[in-house]
């Protein structure tokens, strides 16, 4: 027996004051209404309605059960409506995991406008480069910058693809000049990040060259790499999306602009696409729009 359905049938009988009227209200048959009531009375072990061929009335137990049904069903309906509204309206706490570069260099460009558009969403941002366990750690969505994403149990939406470019501060270029080829790069001060000390640069003609970098500065954080590049410390590689504003304002300039070091994919990851909360959908759509203009 579906007890919740049986309770709704009993409530309809009581309020419609008859089996036929209740069946019409519920868009079902008289026999179905009668069967649900019989199952409910059998499960409860008590008679809820006195009926004969002409009249029906609630028993004393039925009166009490009716009041309880109204309270329970109204609460269930209110909770369902609230959940539906929550699904439709972007609101509530949004827990985001993002790489350090997003939290330190890019957040100021997108967060204020996002929160202005969705004032009912409260952001809890955690910045770390390793991919977290979204479900176990309680995150709604993660942003990641990487190569093509391997198969994953997570839903992945690609936000943008951005080339990895070489840049330096104008002060460094003024002091040390511009390299004219990949081979000349090792005559310059090179700033590197992460585990690899190799740069593979390709051009639009499909030619590529690999350089074993003689790094004068190596770091495990993009923030430090960016600060060193802005200070005139040398030549570094960043995604175009990360340094786009620096290039537009002249804080950095492109080095060997006909070459790139491949590309990086910007992804939004979330646990399940089914019944995606409105707050997650709003954030992912917003970031897709934001990065579309930065790659």
């Amino acid at each position: 027996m579906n007890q919740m359905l049986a309770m709704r049938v009993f409530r309809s009988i009581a309020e419609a004051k008859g089996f036929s009227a209740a069946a019409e209200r519920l868009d079902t048959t008289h026999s179905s209404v009668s069967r649900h009531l019989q199952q409910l009375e059998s499960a409860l072990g008590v008679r809820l309605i006195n009926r004969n061929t002409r009249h029906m009335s609630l028993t004393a137990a039925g009166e009490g059960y009716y009041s309880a049904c109204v309270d329970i069903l109204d609460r269930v309906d209110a909770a369902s409506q609230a959940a539906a509204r929550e699904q439709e309206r972007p609101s509530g706490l949004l827990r985001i995991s993002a790489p350090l570069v997003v939290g330190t260099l890019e957040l100021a460009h997108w967060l204020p406008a996002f929160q202005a558009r969705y004032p009912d969403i409260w952001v809890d941002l955690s910045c770390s480069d390793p991919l977290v366990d979204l479900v176990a750690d309680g995150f709604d969505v993660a942003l990641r910058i990487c190569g093509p994403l391997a198969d994953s149990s997570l839903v992945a939406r690609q936000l943008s693809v951005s080339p990895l470019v070489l840049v330096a501060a104008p002060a460094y270029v003024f002091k040390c000049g511009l390299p004219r080829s990949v081979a000349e790069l090792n005559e310059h001060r090179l700033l590197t990040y992460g585990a690899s000390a190799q740069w593979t640069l390709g051009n639009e003609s499909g030619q590529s060259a690999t350089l074993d970098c003689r790094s004068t500065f190596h770091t495990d954080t993009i923030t430090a790499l960016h600060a060193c590049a802005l200070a005139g410390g040398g030549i570094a590689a960043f995604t175009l999306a990360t340094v786009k504003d620096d290039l537009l304002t002249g804080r950095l300039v492109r080095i060997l602009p006909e070459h790139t070091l491949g590309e990086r994919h910007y992804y939004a990851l979330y646990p399940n696409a089914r019944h995606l909360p409105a707050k997650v959908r709003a954030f992912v759509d917003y970031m897709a729009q934001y990065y579309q203009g930065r790659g």
Side-chain angles (χ1 to χ4, degrees):
M1 179 189 70
N2 183 329
Q3 186 170 5
M4 192 67 67
L5 176 58
M7 290 169 66
R8 291 190 184 280
V9 170
F10 169 67
R11 178 180 180 177
S12 292
I13 296 171
E15 293 176 351
K17 302 186 184 308
F19 286 70
S20 297
E24 185 176 349
R25 176 182 293 189
L26 295 170
D27 193 23
T28 187
T29 63
H30 185 289
S31 61
S32 175
V33 168
S34 180
R35 183 175 65 255
H36 281 297
L37 178 62
Q38 289 172 5
Q39 291 174 345
L40 182 61
E41 289 181 327
S42 177
L44 296 174
V46 66
R47 192 172 185 83
L48 299 173
I49 294 178
N50 291 315
R51 61 254 193 208
N52 57 35
T53 56
R54 293 186 177 183
H55 303 286
M56 60 144 285
S57 62
L58 298 181
T59 65
E63 292 280 2
Y65 192 71
Y66 169 76
S67 297
C69 282
V70 170
D71 181 61
I72 292 169
L73 293 173
D74 284 351
R75 286 174 181 268
V76 169
D77 290 342
S80 299
Q81 292 166 7
R85 287 194 299 270
E86 185 72 14
Q87 180 68 8
E88 295 170 359
R89 179 175 59 89
S91 62
L93 178 64
L94 180 67
R95 296 201 67 220
I96 305 167
S97 171
L100 287 168
V101 64
V102 172
T104 55
L105 301 183
E106 301 183 19
L107 178 144
H109 300 296
W110 61 261
L111 181 60
F114 172 75
Q115 292 199 298
R117 182 180 297 183
Y118 300 105
D120 294 328
I121 294 179
W122 316 308
V123 171
D124 180 354
L125 178 68
S126 175
C127 295
S128 64
D129 290 332
L131 182 59
V132 297
D133 186 326
L134 266 66
V135 175
D137 296 332
F139 287 100
D140 297 297
V141 61
L143 298 176
R144 281 299 173 264
I145 306 170
C146 55
L149 200 65
D151 290 340
S152 169
S153 60
L154 299 173
V155 178
R157 176 173 172 183
Q158 183 170 284
L159 305 176
S160 180
V161 179
S162 185
L164 201 61
V165 299
L166 295 177
V167 297
Y172 174 82
V173 173
F174 180 78
K175 179 180 178 181
C176 301
L178 286 169
R180 287 180 264 178
S181 67
V182 174
E184 289 185 14
L185 281 172
N186 262 333
E187 299 173 13
H188 285 261
R189 299 181 67 83
L190 304 183
L191 317 177
T192 58
Y193 160 79
S196 177
Q198 282 190 335
W199 286 349
T200 299
L201 293 99
N203 59 24
E204 294 179 355
S205 301
Q207 299 172 319
S208 64
T210 299
L211 180 75
D212 291 318
C213 299
R214 293 198 290 270
S215 175
T216 59
F217 177 83
H218 181 80
T219 179
D220 61 355
T221 68
I222 288 288
T223 312
L225 186 72
H226 185 253
C228 191
L230 287 177
I235 298 172
F238 297 93
T239 62
L240 182 59
T242 296
V243 295
K244 185 170 185 178
D245 292 331
D246 295 318
L247 294 172
L248 289 173
T249 58
R251 291 190 296 267
L252 294 172
V253 296
R254 287 280 300 271
I255 304 297
L256 297 178
E258 69 279 9
H259 289 80
T260 67
L261 290 84
E263 57 191 20
R264 295 292 181 269
H265 298 245
Y266 283 66
Y267 291 102
L269 308 176
Y270 40 92
N272 198 322
R274 187 181 181 188
H275 303 311
L276 189 65
K279 61 185 179 182
V280 177
R281 184 182 299 108
F283 177 73
V284 172
D285 289 346
Y286 181 89
M287 295 307 286
Q289 183 180 23
Y290 169 76
Y291 278 115
Q292 187 175 22
R294 296 186 67 84

